Amino acid sequence: MASASLRLETVSLPSAALGDPVNLVPVRRTQDLHAVDDGVQIDEELRAGLTYGHVRNVAPYLPQQDYDRTLVDRDHRVIVLENDHVRAEVLPDLGGRLRRLYDKSAGRELLHVNAVFQPGNLALRNAWFSGGVEWNIGTIGHTPLTASTLHAVEIERPDGAAAVRLYEYERLRGVVYSVEFVLGADARELLVRGTIVDVRESTEAVPMYWWSNIAVDQTADTRVIAPAHGAWKFAYRENVHLIPVGDDAPRPDITRPALAPQAADYFFDLDEKAHPWIAAVEADGRGLLQMSDALLRGRKLFVWGESDGGRRWQSWLSHGTGTYLEIQAGIARTQLEHVPMPAGATWSWTEAYGLVEVDGTVALGDSWDAAIDEVASSSAAGRLRDAIEAESTRSTADDRVGEVLSIGSGWGALEQRRRIHTRSGPFEDSRTPFRPNHLGAEQEGWLQLLRGGPFPDGLPLSYQRDDAWVPFLESETTPDAAFALGVLHAAQGRLDEAVAALTAAVQAQDTWYARRALAEIAQERGDESAARAHALRALELSDLTVASVDLGELLLRLGAPTEALQAATTVDEEHPGGRARLLRAQALVALERYAEARDLLADGIEVADLAEGDNALTELWRSAAVGIQRAADPTASAEVLAERAAAVDPLPARYDFRMSLDA
């Protein structure tokens, strides 16, 4: 008799160390890598989505930038769902990532399974890793919780399916979300049921964002197929624009990722909406098919491209162990949009992931319509549609929350405690329980506020952006309560109030973190003199390496390279390499000390958390090389100097992270 099992195991992977979040709370407005120009030619629905719901920054979340590139075998917890046909592995400590989906009958991995765990700076909080399926909520970009532990509970179902629900309270939007994995006793597909519940105390809609990011192996033959004849293209230095997809589309064919010249997003303008789908198929006709109900209306293809920079990024994220592409599904047509979720609403949808087997000569042939029909009429497509409809209409009345498999953060429990304290009533959480034993050190200061204070002295362990906490912070007179209040006001865009609170904090006790926050806001407002003064004072007060580098970077942006160099040199002597060394070289170039910068580059600069789209190393190499040529021939034109520099000092592959060919 067929059966499915659920259990907790560990998998050992060569892994970089991921340390604790770094207490450099975001204060200024964060630049959006995916921003588009106002003059772009798009329809009104898309324009509305592009301009709606953006957040200033990801406070209260702290950056996760404490990691390196040294791989050591480490154990990772995995929740395993398995039957006779399928094995699925979920990482509860890494955002609930679906790490692996293996079809036993075909002997085939359906996802890109990264052979290593290597964070890179691609997520809202910095640390991100490639592979599997990631669940992105809140705002544009990879979720704040992608490298965090989630709550997980077994779900006991009358139908005997193995099921586990992972969930968390998401603080940017004030919602509870869950991802439930379901594997039937005799199923060939994995079902994923997503749910978002607005638990805010508000009558206004909440801007929402969701994309399921699916990594699959990329080969020379891989073709991505979706029921569309157009796609919105976004390629970083290009405005988003609609391009045709199909037999008459310009070449190279975007559906064949191995032909992509550079990194790009393609958001398919789907022809059918009842059960949106996307597939990645190989020459043998086999691959992954993903399908959902209509709420997930968007489908996307992301490619790194075959440029030197694209290949470098692939190697950077996997230490050269594999290449991948991403197919994605979301609640908007493109990943550049937010959509309004009505106050108090619950959104739920079902996705299905499974093996597709079609005629490879048709799926990869010259006729695009034939390729679409081949997948749409496959037995796998019919099976996934039936499974989605059955799950979407199934009664959950007899489902029971069973064994606790993982405990996430205490923020949901704290929010319940606050609502009980203010007599506003806790939100319903029987399906996603938040319990008092979830509370930890990060919540302790906020619990003290609920108890009447005082707010703890010293750099706060954590922060809030919900205005419900303003009265509690305003009732306190300690400098660090004022600092936390300033952070909250800044997150909500109330910069006058933020400056007032932060100034009060400094007047009560002069600290590097309050000064840094004032410097960030002053720079955003264009007051570079005040920003520089605050940053220099913060640097005097700080004894933390990470803060010194951060402040040095701020001073460099403010046009103070001498002070930035001093900060970087002091830190670099104790902590060679990485971001401190990059800052040192950048300051040397700004001071026209090109040969010294070139020597640092020759020794090697490896920045573990170099950001997606950051061409700092490329620009640094070129600037140093051109500067050296200029010193030798001051009268030569800029074009001649650039040509000479490129000939004498060509850009090394290790410094090429360009995502655009014209960068």
Side-chain angles (χ1 to χ4, degrees):
M1 181 176 177
S3 64
S5 64
L6 175 73
R7 60 190 180 276
L8 191 61
E9 296 183 354
T10 60
V11 60
S12 180
L13 290 174
S15 303
L18 179 59
D20 294 329
V22 174
N23 205 332
L24 294 174
V25 62
V27 179
R28 70 176 185 274
R29 183 181 298 278
T30 303
Q31 181 180 4
D32 182 5
L33 181 65
H34 300 90
V36 299
D37 294 342
D38 292 338
V40 66
Q41 298 300 306
I42 53 178
D43 61 63
E44 289 307 308
E45 180 191 5
L46 183 53
R47 185 175 299 281
L50 291 172
T51 57
Y52 171 68
H54 293 270
V55 296
R56 275 182 45 83
N57 54 49
V58 296
Y61 295 107
L62 297 174
Q64 293 175 299
Q65 64 190 58
D66 184 16
Y67 55 85
D68 55 24
R69 293 188 55 79
T70 300
L71 300 183
V72 177
D73 286 344
R74 306 178 195 274
D75 287 341
H76 299 266
R77 294 193 304 163
V78 291
I79 299 171
V80 179
L81 300 91
E82 190 166 19
N83 64 14
D84 290 340
H85 308 293
V86 174
R87 177 184 170 97
E89 296 178 2
V90 178
L91 295 162
D93 298 318
L94 293 168
R97 183 80 59 104
L98 177 61
R99 173 181 179 266
R100 184 184 184 202
L101 184 60
Y102 182 74
D103 188 287
K104 297 179 181 181
S105 301
R108 199 180 194 103
E109 296 283 2
L110 300 184
L111 304 174
H112 171 63
V113 182
N114 199 334
V116 304
F117 171 69
Q118 175 59 66
N121 187 358
L122 287 86
L124 292 171
R125 296 174 66 192
N126 189 321
W128 182 85
F129 62 102
S130 62
V133 187
E134 176 190 27
W135 320 103
N136 295 293
I137 186 172
T139 190
I140 296 170
H142 296 283
T143 175
L145 298 166
T146 197
S148 298
T149 300
L150 302 188
H151 298 279
V153 291
E154 182 177 4
I155 301 300
E156 299 170 355
R157 295 169 45 125
D159 61 6
V164 60
R165 182 178 300 147
L166 290 95
Y167 63 94
E168 188 52 276
Y169 175 65
E170 200 290 294
R171 295 189 287 155
L172 267 181
R173 298 304 191 187
V175 300
V176 173
Y177 77 100
S178 64
V179 182
E180 187 170 324
F181 301 89
V182 180
L183 184 63
D186 200 36
R188 291 287 303 273
E189 66 285 326
L190 179 71
L191 298 179
V192 179
R193 190 161 188 161
T195 302
I196 305 171
V197 183
D198 177 23
V199 297
R200 300 169 306 134
E201 297 175 287
S202 174
T203 59
E204 296 183 358
V206 57
M208 192 44 60
Y209 173 94
W210 180 280
W211 281 81
S212 303
N213 287 13
I214 308 150
V216 296
D217 290 336
Q218 177 181 312
T219 72
D221 298 316
T222 309
R223 192 178 203 190
V224 172
I225 305 170
H229 289 82
W232 294 95
K233 179 182 179 182
F234 179 79
Y236 302 93
R237 294 203 173 200
E238 295 180 25
N239 270 330
V240 62
H241 59 286
L242 188 64
I243 63 171
V245 177
D247 302 338
D248 299 325
R251 294 300 184 254
D253 182 352
I254 70 162
T255 71
R256 304 179 193 271
L259 301 179
Q262 68 175 48
D265 297 329
Y266 299 99
F267 302 99
F268 290 107
D269 196 21
L270 297 187
D271 297 332
E272 64 176 52
K273 307 290 186 181
H275 285 93
W277 59 266
I278 190 167
V281 180
E282 297 297 331
D284 64 358
R286 289 176 165 179
L288 174 71
L289 175 62
Q290 188 272 355
M291 186 180 289
S292 71
D293 48 31
L295 185 62
L296 291 194
R297 61 181 297 201
R299 291 298 184 274
K300 169 189 165 182
L301 163 64
F302 168 75
V303 292
W304 282 110
E306 295 305 305
S307 67
D308 291 340
R311 287 192 292 268
R312 176 62 170 149
W313 269 111
Q314 291 267 28
S315 178
W316 185 252
L317 292 168
S318 67
H319 288 254
T321 60
T323 58
Y324 74 98
L325 58 91
E326 287 181 3
I327 54 177
Q328 305 183 12
I331 60 174
R333 283 190 297 166
T334 76
Q335 212 171 44
L336 312 175
E337 305 167 76
H338 300 97
V339 296
M341 181 179 184
T346 295
W347 283 356
S348 188
W349 66 92
T350 302
E351 304 178 52
Y353 295 77
L355 175 75
V356 64
E357 297 178 285
V358 295
D359 185 336
T361 60
V362 177
L364 274 67
D366 293 332
S367 171
W368 176 241
D369 286 335
I372 293 174
D373 290 343
E374 182 69 10
V375 176
S377 62
S378 68
S379 60
R383 187 177 70 248
L384 266 59
R385 275 193 295 269
D386 291 345
I388 289 169
E389 290 176 1
E391 181 65 22
S392 299
T393 58
R394 186 187 69 87
S395 171
T396 60
D398 293 327
D399 291 356
R400 296 289 181 266
V401 173
E403 180 183 359
V404 174
L405 301 175
S406 176
I407 295 178
S409 81
W411 295 112
L414 179 68
E415 178 63 6
Q416 294 286 44
R417 184 69 65 86
R418 183 193 66 78
R419 293 184 183 203
I420 292 170
H421 177 84
T422 58
R423 294 183 172 85
S424 56
F427 53 81
E428 203 283 324
D429 69 346
S430 61
R431 291 173 52 84
T432 54
F434 297 102
R435 297 295 177 256
N437 67 328
H438 297 166
L439 295 164
E442 290 183 332
Q443 292 80 42
E444 183 57 35
W446 304 98
L447 283 172
Q448 288 192 38
L449 279 182
L450 293 180
R451 296 167 183 149
F455 196 70
D457 291 333
L459 181 62
L461 293 178
S462 58
Y463 304 88
Q464 299 283 358
R465 72 182 293 133
D466 188 335
D467 281 340
W469 290 95
V470 169
F472 294 99
L473 290 169
E474 287 181 337
S475 68
E476 281 293 301
T477 58
T478 63
D480 292 306
F483 172 69
L485 180 62
V487 169
L488 193 157
H489 282 314
Q492 297 291 355
R494 298 186 293 264
L495 298 189
D496 288 342
E497 292 90 335
V499 169
L502 293 168
T503 300
V506 166
Q507 290 171 346
Q509 182 180 1
D510 204 1
T511 62
W512 69 265
Y513 43 93
R515 288 282 188 174
R516 170 185 172 272
L518 285 167
E520 295 275 15
I521 294 174
Q523 186 204 16
E524 183 176 337
R525 287 179 147 182
D527 189 348
E528 294 193 353
S529 176
R532 181 171 175 171
H534 286 307
L536 288 172
R537 178 57 179 157
L539 199 57
E540 290 177 8
L541 294 168
S542 171
D543 59 358
L544 296 177
T545 297
V546 66
S548 296
V549 174
D550 179 83
L551 291 163
E553 291 171 341
L554 174 57
L555 286 165
L556 188 63
R557 295 195 300 271
L558 291 168
T562 299
E563 292 85 349
L565 178 61
Q566 182 179 1
T569 302
T570 301
V571 172
D572 193 25
E573 291 172 355
E574 301 173 4
H575 302 274
R579 189 160 293 281
R581 182 156 291 194
L582 172 63
L583 173 61
R584 184 177 169 190
Q586 289 172 319
L588 287 168
V589 164
L591 293 167
E592 301 184 359
R593 292 162 60 177
Y594 301 111
E596 293 174 71
R598 179 65 177 76
D599 288 343
L600 282 176
L601 285 161
D603 289 342
I605 300 177
E606 184 178 80
V607 183
D609 70 330
L610 187 73
E612 175 187 13
D614 188 348
N615 293 323
L617 287 167
T618 297
E619 294 166 0
L620 179 61
W621 179 274
R622 288 174 173 171
S623 297
V626 169
I628 290 170
Q629 293 300 318
R630 183 181 295 113
D633 187 359
T635 62
S637 68
E639 292 78 9
V640 169
L641 292 173
E643 290 176 2
R644 290 178 184 171
V648 174
D649 273 332
L651 179 68
R654 62 177 171 163
Y655 292 147
D656 190 349
F657 290 88
R658 294 171 296 170
M659 299 180 71
S660 174
L661 293 175
D662 59 352

